[in-house]
Amino acid sequence: MPPADLGEFELIRRFFSRPGAIEPNNRGVALGIGDDAAVLDLPAGAQLVAAVDTVVEGRHFPQGTDARSIGHRSLAVNLSDMAAMGATPAWATLALTMPSADAVWLEAFSIGLLDLADAHGVCLVGGDTTRGALTVSVQILGHVPRGTALRRGGAQAGDLLVVTGTLGDAGAGLALSTAMPATPRNPAVDELIRRFEYPTPRVQMGIAARGVASSAMDLSDGLVGDLPKLAHASGLSAHVAIEKLPLSAAARAVASDSQARDWALAAGDDYELLFTVAPPRYVALQAAADRLNLTLTTIGEMGAGAGVVWSLHGSTFKPAHTGYDHFGRASTQITV
Amino acid sequence: MPPADLGEFELIRRFFSRPGAIEPNNRGVALGIGDDAAVLDLPAGAQLVAAVDTVVEGRHFPQGTDARSIGHRSLAVNLSDMAAMGATPAWATLALTMPSADAVWLEAFSIGLLDLADAHGVCLVGGDTTRGALTVSVQILGHVPRGTALRRGGAQAGDLLVVTGTLGDAGAGLALSTAMPATPRNPAVDELIRRFEYPTPRVQMGIAARGVASSAMDLSDGLVGDLPKLAHASGLSAHVAIEKLPLSAAARAVASDSQARDWALAAGDDYELLFTVAPPRYVALQAAADRLNLTLTTIGEMGAGAGVVWSLHGSTFKPAHTGYDHFGRASTQITV
C-alpha cells in the first residue's frame, strides 16, 4: 500500500496496537487507544509519576539511524526517567511527527518501541501522528508507593556517589558510527554502537533502590552535565575521583584512556543511574545490583558546600566539556 | 540575552515555571518541574485520564502565526480531549521542539500556554525542550470519578446528536487569515480569526455532561471526519440534518451558506463537543449548557446500522470533503 493511502487511523491501528503478551486489562488500562483519551487505574496507595522526553533526528540520532533503534531509544530515554525516580513504568503515549508515512520505516520503529514496552510491561495507551520533521515525543506514566519516589534532592553530606554499569560507551558508539560507518568493524566497536542504539534503562535497579538510595538521577547528558544538578538539588558539593569512573573494556580497546574518560564524563546518552547512598546502606544497594547482574561503582562522595570537585589521581581536574545542552553552550564535540 | 546563551535549564526556569495564581501543592503536585519526573496525587476514587496532541508549524498553523496563539492552541487541543472525556484537567507536560531559542517568541508562547493553563487550574509539571523544526506536543493528564468517563462508544439508537457552540468558525478564520492577511478587516473576520487562533475548549461542559450524555467526542477534524468514529465506536448509524448545523452570524456574514456549511462540515479545529443524549435527558444537558452560556444544537439522531447519513432539507447530501487526516486522503482544501 503506497504511503499516501495510509490514513492516520489505519497507521495507529496497524503499527501501534498489536496484541502483545501483556493484556491491557491486566495493566490498569480501563480504556486504551481509540477514544479522545485513555482512562487508567493507578494501584491503590500509589502516586503517579510522569515524564516526557523527545528525540529529534539530527540532534539525538544521526540521519539514517535504523528506525528500530529510534523506536527503542524514544521509549528507553523515558523508561530511564522512571528508573531515576524508582518508579514502576506502566503506560506511555506517543507523539510521532514524520515527513511521510513509510510503512517499512513504521514497522521497524514500532517493533523497536513495542518490544521494549513489552519487556517492561508498559502499555501504549495513546498517540498522535502528524506530518513534519522527524520528532518523537514519548510521555511515560508510572507509579510509586506513596512517598517513596527517589528525588535528586535527598543526598546527605558523607553519602557515597555511585553509578551503575559503565560510562561513555554510548558516546563512543555514536562517535564511532559517525566516523566509520562503512569500515569493517570489530566486536568492541559493534558493542559500543549497540550501547548507543539500544540503551538499557535501569528500571529494576531504580525500583530496588527505593528506600535504600538517598537520591537518584539518570545520566542522559553526561556526568559533567548531570551531577551538578543533583548536587544543587541536594544543597551539597559532589567530589568525584575521575580514575574511578567505570570504563568498559570495549571503550578502552578503541581509544586512549584520556578519550575514554572524556566520553564517560561528557558524552551523555548512557542512561545509567547515579545514586547517592549513606555508607551503611551501600551493602543493600550492592546486593540489589548483584541480583540484577549490574555492576555498581563508587566514584566519589557528597560533602558540604556547592558545585562539583573533580580530581584525577589526587590532582584537581577540569573537564574539557560541560555536558549536552540543546540550546546552551556549544554541545560536546567528540572526535575519534 | 542572545538566544545562543539561553541554556535549556534557564529556558525552562525562565518561561515555564512562573509563579501562578495556582499553587502546585494545592493541585496534587508532590514534585513538579526540575527532577527526572513529576510526582502527582490523584484524588481518592479517581481514574487517570491521559492524552497527547501535537501541533506542527505549516500543518496545524501557518508559518508566522503569533507565538501566543501557538501556545494557547497547543494546550487548548489537549484540554478539548479532556472535555470530550468529561475529565477534570489537572497537569500537563510540554515537549517543545524549535529551531532556535528566541526569548521574544518564547515569552509570547509561554503566556499563551500558561494563561490558558491557569484558567483551567492546570499545572505544567514537566517538559523537554529540543532543537528542530517547530513542533509542540502537550501531554494532558486529568481525572474522573471512577467509571464516569464519557466514551465515544456509549450511544444508543434513538439518542439525539447534539453539538455545542457554532461550527466552521475556525476553518473560516484560518482561510481568511491566509487569504487576506494585509486587508483591512471587519469585526466578523476578526472574530473568525480569533476562533481559529484562540479556541475555547469546552471543559466545564464536558464535566457537566458526565452521567447525562451517553457518549461524547470533540470536533477537531470536522464533523465529516469525526462523526463516523463515534458512530463506529457505538456500533450505530448517525443521521445528520445539515440545515440544522449551528453557523455563526460571522461565518454567514463573510461567505455563502454553502461555503459556511462546508466549513462547518469539514474544516475542523472548532474544538466544540459532540454529544449523544437520550431524549429524556436532553433537558438536563440543555440546563448545563445554559448555566455555562453555551448554545446547544440538536443536529440529528443515532439509529441502527452503520455509517453517517447526511441530508439537506430532506434530500440526501454527499459532503465534498472527508475531514482532516494528516497522512490520508488529500486534506480539506478551502478557498474563500
Side-chain angles (χ1 to χ4, degrees), chain B residues 43 48 59-60 65 71 73 102 113 151 179 194-195 264 278 326 330:
Chain B
L48 176 66
R59 288 273 140 195
H60 301 86
T65 296
R73 292 185 79 238
D102 177 327
L113 192 152
R151 302 174 177 212
R194 190 188 51 74
R195 286 269 287 164
H326 291 288

Side-chain angles (χ1 to χ4, degrees), chain A residues 3-9 11 30-31 34-42 46-57 59-60 80-82 84-85 91 93-101 125-133 135 137-139 141 144 146 149-153 216-218 221 229 233 324-329, chain B residues 3-9 11 30-31 34-42 46-57 59-60 80-82 84-85 91 93-101 125-133 135 137 139-141 144 146 149-153 216-218 221 229 233 324-329:
Chain A
D5 288 333
L6 273 178
E8 183 171 348
F9 241 56
L11 265 186
L31 183 64
D35 213 299
D36 292 283
V39 181
L40 307 165
D41 285 303
L42 274 188
Q47 286 179 303
L48 176 66
V49 183
V52 62
D53 252 323
T54 303
V55 298
V56 178
E57 184 175 63
R59 288 272 140 196
H60 301 89
S80 185
D81 283 327
M82 292 291 102
M85 304 302 289
W91 312 294
T93 61
L94 167 68
L96 174 59
T97 305
M98 55 192 165
S100 65
V125 296
D128 187 26
T129 52
T130 49
R131 198 189 286 264
T135 307
S137 278
V138 171
Q139 182 200 37
L141 300 170
V144 288
R146 188 171 308 281
L150 294 168
R151 302 176 177 212
R152 295 179 179 178
M217 75 182 297
D218 76 323
D221 294 343
K229 298 172 191 165
Y324 196 81
D325 184 339
H326 292 287
F327 290 107
R329 298 157 296 273
Chain B
D5 288 333
L6 273 178
E8 182 172 348
F9 241 56
L11 266 186
L31 182 64
D35 214 299
D36 292 282
V39 180
L40 307 166
D41 285 302
L42 276 187
Q47 287 179 303
L48 176 66
V49 182
V52 62
D53 253 322
T54 303
V55 297
V56 178
E57 184 175 63
R59 288 273 140 195
H60 301 86
S80 184
D81 283 327
M82 293 292 102
M85 304 302 290
W91 312 293
T93 62
L94 167 68
L96 174 59
T97 305
M98 55 192 165
S100 65
V125 296
D128 187 23
T129 51
T130 48
R131 198 190 286 264
T135 307
S137 277
Q139 304 76 31
I140 188 92
L141 300 169
V144 287
R146 187 171 308 282
L150 293 168
R151 302 174 177 212
R152 295 179 180 178
M217 74 182 297
D218 75 323
D221 295 343
K229 297 172 191 165
Y324 196 82
D325 184 339
H326 291 288
F327 290 108
R329 299 157 295 272

Side-chain angles (χ1 to χ4, degrees), chain A residues 147-259:
Chain A
T148 67
L150 294 168
R151 302 176 177 212
R152 295 179 179 178
Q156 302 291 318
D159 282 359
L160 302 174
L161 198 50
V162 172
V163 294
T164 60
T166 54
L167 301 185
D169 295 344
L174 175 59
L176 291 165
S177 68
T178 309
M180 46 197 291
T183 318
R185 291 166 171 168
N186 62 45
V189 171
D190 285 344
E191 183 188 328
L192 295 167
I193 291 175
R194 189 187 53 73
R195 286 269 286 164
F196 173 74
E197 292 183 339
Y198 295 93
T200 304
R202 304 303 187 187
V203 174
Q204 290 307 314
M205 187 64 208
I207 293 170
R210 289 197 307 236
V212 180
S214 56
S215 75
M217 75 182 297
D218 76 323
L219 291 172
S220 53
D221 294 343
L223 200 60
V224 295
D226 289 326
L227 180 54
K229 298 172 191 165
L230 185 144
H232 180 76
S234 293
L236 294 173
S237 63
H239 301 256
V240 177
I242 289 175
E243 70 276 11
K244 293 185 179 167
L245 297 183
L247 307 177
S248 71
R252 286 192 293 196
V254 303
S256 67
D257 275 12
S258 158
Q259 173 66 87

Side-chain angles (χ1 to χ4, degrees), chain B residues 314-326:
Chain B
S315 302
T316 301
F317 182 91
K318 188 171 157 42
H321 307 297
T322 52
Y324 196 82
D325 184 339
H326 291 288

Side-chain angles (χ1 to χ4, degrees), chain B residues 243 311-316:
Chain B
E243 69 277 11
S311 68
L312 181 61
H313 300 299
S315 302
T316 301

